Amino acid sequence: IVSLFLTSLTTICLGFIVLFKGKRSKSNILYALFSFSIGIWTALQGYTAFIPEGNLDKALLLGRLFHIPLLFIPCVLLHFVHLFLEGEDTKWKKFILYYALCFVFLLVLPFKMIISTMKWTPYIGYNIVTGWAYPLSCAYFVILVLLSLFKLYKGYKNATGHRRNQIRYFFWSTLIGFSSGWSNYLYAYANPIAFINPYAQFGVPLYVLTITYAIYRYRLMDINLIVKKTVIYGAIYSIS
């Protein structure tokens, strides 16, 4: 639960920072929406854990509500990756299919196809009982994230200089972030994941912090150059 609320706090704060630094930038807006989606998802999921036994209707409502931002995460990530690699003029037509799939899942979310009901268990609280379409939503999430990573990998292979280094940094940060959060999304399938989940989830705010720091604070500067400058300034300071 602590890891969920920590993730929520860091991602929402960073979303506002990114948005205020570039209100007219499409990439800034998308990254802010990406951060807000993660923050709202984890906050609602964390709150669901506090619902006492006997409040099934409330738990079911929250269980379906926190899947709304969850379904948007892979779409917004893939859209952002395209802007990151191809520029602000990337056309919306490339993403119609992905957003259409997202809205299809949203339309059926109020019914039992994705989340059938909620089940209360000791030490965990309310957890979702999956419907027949839940694996499809998992596949949609995983495929779009993998497409984002593949797009980053192709961009890395074709890039040179500091741009290549920045894409490499973004690729590994994204891979670490989603590798950390996977157990949270699949929590409904097996209770033993609960032993992994609290620790793996702490990697998500670390991912958001590092990727935002690298991309927006330094505006795609060479990461190695930043490190070198830090070392040089530290050495000068220590000598003085």
Side-chain angles (χ1 to χ4, degrees):
I1 296 175
V2 173
S3 62
L4 288 173
F5 285 117
L6 180 61
T7 297
S8 177
L9 178 63
T10 55
T11 51
I12 289 176
C13 288
L14 287 169
F16 278 116
I17 292 172
V18 170
L19 187 62
F20 290 149
K21 284 176 68 67
K23 295 180 181 179
R24 297 183 180 180
S25 169
K26 292 179 182 178
S27 57
N28 282 51
I29 293 172
L30 278 172
Y31 194 81
L33 289 174
F34 173 68
S35 297
F36 293 150
S37 296
I38 297 174
I40 295 170
W41 162 41
T42 51
L44 289 176
Q45 188 172 13
Y47 179 69
T48 303
F50 288 103
I51 298 176
E53 186 179 8
N55 291 270
L56 177 60
D57 290 340
K58 183 178 181 180
L60 183 58
L61 175 61
L62 282 172
R64 287 171 174 162
L65 281 177
F66 72 66
H67 274 72
I68 295 175
L70 178 61
L71 289 168
F72 274 107
I73 288 172
C75 275
V76 178
L77 172 66
L78 185 58
H79 196 167
F80 171 77
V81 167
H82 275 271
L83 292 188
F84 174 71
L85 296 174
E86 300 172 7
E88 297 278 311
D89 296 328
T90 304
K91 302 299 182 182
W92 272 87
K93 293 180 180 179
K94 290 186 176 182
F95 315 105
I96 291 177
L97 176 61
Y98 308 132
Y99 282 106
L101 286 172
C102 178
F103 280 104
V104 168
F105 284 117
L106 289 174
L107 287 174
V108 301
L109 188 58
F111 307 102
K112 294 185 176 183
M113 287 176 277
I114 296 179
I115 300 175
S116 177
T117 185
M118 302 288 283
K119 181 181 179 181
W120 193 91
T121 53
Y123 306 108
I124 296 175
Y126 276 103
N127 195 22
I128 68 172
V129 177
T130 61
W132 65 266
Y134 190 83
L136 297 178
S137 69
C138 290
Y140 150 83
F141 189 97
V142 171
I143 289 171
L144 263 61
V145 171
L146 290 177
L147 283 174
S148 300
L149 290 170
F150 179 70
K151 182 73 175 177
L152 286 170
Y153 178 74
K154 286 181 63 178
Y156 167 76
K157 297 292 286 186
N158 296 326
T160 58
H162 76 276
R163 179 63 169 168
R164 181 183 176 93
N165 192 48
Q166 182 66 41
I167 295 172
R168 178 177 61 187
Y169 185 84
F170 187 23
F171 172 86
W172 285 110
S173 297
T174 303
L175 180 62
I176 291 171
F178 280 93
S179 297
S180 300
W182 72 271
S183 60
N184 202 32
Y185 191 77
L186 299 177
Y187 193 82
Y189 283 110
N191 287 339
I193 295 179
F195 293 100
I196 300 173
N197 186 278
Y199 303 102
Q201 186 69 26
F202 282 109
V204 179
L206 177 62
Y207 149 72
V208 178
L209 283 168
T210 53
I211 200 65
T212 305
Y213 182 80
I215 294 176
Y216 291 98
R217 174 70 184 275
Y218 290 97
R219 300 291 181 182
L220 305 181
M221 288 175 59
D222 191 343
I223 300 304
N224 287 338
L225 180 61
I226 297 169
V227 174
K228 289 177 182 177
K229 285 185 176 181
T230 304
V231 172
I232 291 171
Y233 293 154
I236 294 173
Y237 179 80
S238 62
I239 294 172
S240 60

